[in-house]
Amino acid sequence: MSQNASPPSVSPLPRRIMAIWCADLALDRWRHSEGYQRGKGADAAPLALITETAHGPRIAAPNAAAQAQGVARGVMLADARTLCPALEVRPSDPAGDLAFLERLAVWAQRWGPWSALDPSDGLLVDVTAVAHLFGGEARLLADVAARCDARGLATRAAIAPTAGAAWALAHHAPSGTILAPDDDVAARLAQLPVAALRLDNDVLLVLRRLGLKRLGDLVGIEGGTAGRDKLQRRFRNRKSPSANPLVRMDQLLGRVPEPLLPVVPVTAPLVQRRLLEPIRHRPLLDKVVEDLAEDMARALEARGEGARRLQLGLWRVDGEVLLRELELAAATRDPAHICRLFADRLDDIDAGFGIEMLRLRASWAEPLGLAQADLDAAAEQHGTSLAACIDRLTTRLGREAVQRPVPHASHIPERAQRWQPPLEPQPASQGELAFHTRPLKLLDRAERIAVLYAAPEGYPRRFSWRGQVCEVARVEGPERIAPEWWRERGSTRLRDYYRIEDEQGRRYWIYRNGLPDDGRGGMPDWYLQGLFA
């Protein structure tokens, strides 16, 4: 054999993509939470999940009984009740559905090395070179159907060389359809509707008006250069794949690649101790928990994270598992703080014949960077941080017994904050509402004052509050705040706020409730609502 002979070439394996469509994902998730089975019990009556829109509630997911009476997805709730007066509605949960779909994507990696989301109700799984592990692609699809049905999910699946072709077959062909690598993709999919291209509704409307109703019609146009050029000119400004049928067609046929973002499962930090001898006494248990807390601190530090929720599991000799859970006000990896909090939760532990294994898991972690501590300041500081204080109070008194103020998106001062438990996630900040100066102290309830002013619509010159007359030296304003029309009645009056300072340098925040000629009452009243520093 010649030494210059090249090694035999290895042809790459044909790519295989499996698309899984959960046709009733939102309803199946609702049924599971309510303990119903598909088509039985309360689900046998007309029911639909609704979502709130700017124009009122719309139908998000009707069940089979509601669809049989003409209720379709996307129609207004008022129109749906006209068709089906007995329709029952429940609120939808898009965020919960997406989180469930992400967990389902991780679970679906049992059939392939990676999976990707197809929002809002589908998955894409790479099954290249793995079908033989299940006895072939047909048995693979049968396993998908059986396992999903066992979880209460109504699914349709298909396998094809491209993600676009697999999606089209899963949505518009019989469930379990397989497109072989050597099949003519264009010919096999020619009878599918143009909706199989995953296009926007307005693009589908344009194609139907042009007489292009099936994929075979687009393939016929592509056969001639002139036809494709005309279609390209019509959609030349559409850069998004979902708005350009030619791009979607090229992706479906494998002419251009379609990037997919795999779902990467995030494993929670976990440490455990298997004991040589079971323990029954509290001092030994505290020592093991201390060791676990130190191991968890090292694991979190290596990931650059801090724990917000910790779960401690204790396995007894008789097989019973005892669980204790902590939620923290701020991310931490301080072993001493973790041990102090768990000490209150272990008082009622019944060790039985002994505990043989302990496991500590951080089910919720947040980024927490490394920080260089000030040794001198740490030696002088003997107090407790606010987060540690909240954790201790919450552990001893309960989650609902401790409240904290959080900002709320409202221009009305008395509605600009709300109280909630400290362990609940803080709402998104409303930075655009912070461009006006607010006083350091707001009164619990605005107090009425008597004001002397030059004109009814002018600024104040003198006012009386709590029996004391104040001469106004400086005035800044007004700052007008209109009523919240979506919450209040039409008779609610607007407010004009003034920042004023008296002759002694004291500063107040007052407002006039209404205008003299607004038609919503008599002369406006004046109120004092806050005090500046």
Side-chain angles (χ1 to χ4, degrees), residues 172-211:
H172 300 279
S175 180
T177 302
I178 299 175
L179 192 61
D182 53 352
D183 284 347
D184 187 349
V185 178
R188 285 286 304 273
L189 305 182
Q191 298 302 317
L192 298 185
V194 291
L197 289 178
R198 299 170 291 168
L199 297 171
D200 297 335
N201 291 331
D202 58 335
V203 180
L204 293 175
L205 181 61
V206 172
L207 293 178
R208 293 190 184 100
R209 289 177 176 176
L210 294 175

Side-chain angles (χ1 to χ4, degrees), residues 134-151:
F134 299 87
E137 293 181 345
R139 291 190 176 182
L140 171 60
L141 292 176
D143 184 68
V144 171
R147 290 183 180 271
C148 290
D149 185 69
R151 295 174 66 98

Side-chain angles (χ1 to χ4, degrees), residues 7 10 22 46 67 77 130 181 185 267 276 280 358 375 377 386 418:
V10 178
C22 304
Q67 294 180 23
L77 177 59
V130 299
V185 178
T267 58
L276 294 177
R280 300 180 59 230
L358 289 89
L375 300 182
L386 177 60
R418 289 182 176 179

